[in-house]
Amino acid sequence: MYSRRVAAIKSVSVIGAGLMGSGIAQVAAQADYKVTMVDQTDAALQNGKNIIQKSIERVARKKFADDKDKQQAFINKALDNITLSTDSLAAAQSDLIVEAIVENIDVKQKLFAGLDKAASKDTIFASNTSSLPITAIASATTAERQTRFAGLHFFNPVPAMKLVEIIRTATLTDAVYQDLVDFSIKTGKTPVECKDTPGFIVNRLLVPYMMEAFRILDRGEASAKDIDTAMKLGAGMPMGPIELADFVGLDTTKFIVDGWAKEGRIEPALVQPSKTLEDLVAKGHLGRKSGKGFYDYSK
Ligand code: 3HC
């Protein structure tokens, strides 16, 4: 009978060294887990390491405002916990594997099918997907692994956002669910539980809200700046919906909406396309990461 408890999770592998993967690796390393961060190339790993370096300096400055030695000791300790690898099977040695790679079901299934063969039977598998059903990804693994397979959905920027959604499939055991709760708390996050549904909780609410903001633009009813100002000052949001979409990535937002529309599991009115969004993505204006989205970040 499977009965892993939190003390048993000592090591974590994060597959994918992008913005989300490097953030997850960082918060796990700060919480003193031994972390292996895996990506396909050394360049991708170096990019992830650079993201972590900048972010962890910020965290350290905040944590130990007046003590440079303590800042440096905190940084060194966390960075020492991180090992880099271009071999995805290196991840198989960890107690918990969190995947944060491209949002493509075939690629994710192939990765997990390989890991399933290489990993110990006790290893917990998790995906940080924001748009694909966990059950479908997990179906590439054995029935036994599916009892240890969950969604673990972090938010951008991971070191600053305090939430983790734990996606509880019908096959996940209570013991593994509890291990993921404990892991989330140890990394400084507050976990919430959700069934394996489109968008889980946050994106289910956030994405239709952003889409309606784009449609206000489509209809010429208000400017981007005024929509953002309205939601920041009138509804207390830290960012307005348009700047948030640029922050998340317009391709990511479109990918989520298109996926939902295709699956047909969500109210059609909520996933009606926006012409402004379609045009920006077609031009490669993907938000902050490409220097331009709804707003211009090139200057
Ligand atoms: N690393 C470490 N710490 C960071 C950080 C980073 N990359 N970015 C921000 N922080 C910390 C800062 O140190 C600061 O901490 P403090 O308040 O304790 O001093 C705090 O976060 C606020 O940062 P700033 O003062 O620099 O800037 P803001 O007050 O403007 O906050 C923000 C920036 C946290 C990004 C805020 O604007 C915000 O919360 N925006 C909304 C973000 C959001 O909604 N994210 C979720 C997107 S949806 C998603 O990710 C799901 C996916 O599936 C699509």
Side-chain angles (χ1 to χ4, degrees):
M1 178 65 194
Y2 177 81
S3 63
R4 182 190 290 290
R5 299 300 311 138
V6 70
I9 299 183
K10 295 193 173 64
S11 56
V12 182
S13 284
V14 180
I15 307 193
L19 205 52
M20 296 305 287
S22 59
I24 299 165
Q26 178 185 334
V27 295
Q30 285 171 197
D32 223 15
Y33 288 99
K34 295 290 169 211
V35 179
T36 306
M37 185 165 76
V38 179
D39 210 314
Q40 286 174 319
T41 64
D42 288 328
L45 288 171
Q46 193 51 51
N47 180 52
K49 214 178 147 193
N50 293 344
I51 297 172
I52 293 175
Q53 182 72 40
K54 268 196 212 143
S55 171
I56 207 164
E57 283 171 8
R58 200 167 163 174
V59 174
R61 273 199 302 273
K62 205 174 74 189
K63 239 176 147 61
F64 307 102
D66 304 317
D67 193 329
K68 285 226 175 312
D69 290 345
K70 280 195 180 151
Q71 286 176 19
Q72 201 51 54
F74 171 82
I75 292 170
N76 292 347
K77 187 162 181 261
L79 294 184
D80 282 352
N81 282 335
I82 303 177
T83 306
L84 305 178
S85 176
T86 51
D87 175 11
S88 70
L89 294 185
Q93 309 311 316
S94 296
D95 302 320
L96 167 66
I97 299 174
V98 185
E99 165 273 314
I101 62 169
V102 61
E103 289 283 79
N104 176 307
I105 184 101
D106 297 334
V107 178
K108 286 186 197 284
Q109 285 181 332
K110 196 165 167 234
L111 172 76
F112 278 119
L115 286 168
D116 195 19
K117 292 194 183 83
S120 143
K121 68 175 183 35
D122 285 341
T123 302
I124 299 171
F125 284 15
S127 173
N128 180 60
T129 183
S130 55
S131 58
L132 301 169
I134 302 299
T135 310
I137 302 171
S139 69
T141 65
T142 57
E144 203 194 343
R145 182 75 62 192
Q146 288 172 38
T147 65
R148 275 163 249 149
F149 203 127
L152 204 57
H153 188 213
F154 289 81
F155 295 85
N156 184 23
V158 177
M161 303 305 284
K162 295 192 169 61
L163 184 75
V164 176
E165 291 175 324
I166 303 179
I167 313 310
R168 197 166 187 161
T169 65
T171 47
L172 187 73
T173 66
D174 291 346
V176 176
Y177 171 75
Q178 194 54 50
D179 284 350
L180 292 171
V181 167
D182 293 343
F183 170 75
S184 304
I185 291 170
K186 202 178 159 197
T187 58
K189 308 297 178 197
T190 298
V192 290
E193 175 185 343
C194 186
K195 289 184 179 165
D196 189 12
T197 53
F200 316 129
I201 300 173
V202 172
N203 282 341
R204 179 67 174 259
L205 295 170
L206 204 53
V207 173
Y209 152 74
M210 291 195 290
M211 288 302 292
E212 191 54 25
F214 309 155
R215 289 189 214 103
I216 292 178
L217 277 179
D218 288 350
R219 296 190 294 263
E221 292 166 354
S223 70
K225 198 161 173 298
D226 282 352
I227 294 170
D228 282 341
T229 301
M231 293 313 291
K232 282 189 283 194
L233 302 188
M237 301 291 194
M239 285 177 172
I242 308 287
E243 56 179 332
L244 180 59
D246 272 356
F247 182 70
V248 166
L250 303 188
D251 51 341
T252 305
T253 309
K254 179 172 152 48
F255 184 84
I256 293 172
V257 168
D258 290 351
W260 287 354
K262 208 164 126 198
E263 281 172 20
R265 286 198 293 159
I266 205 164
E267 185 63 35
L270 297 178
V271 290
Q272 257 179 36
S274 148
K275 185 170 179 338
T276 316
L277 178 69
E278 301 286 327
D279 289 350
L280 286 171
V281 173
K283 285 183 195 147
H285 298 324
L286 307 180
R288 279 199 197 184
K289 63 184 170 188
S290 70
K292 195 170 188 318
F294 287 96
Y295 296 107
D296 190 346
Y297 303 89
S298 57
K299 289 166 205 100

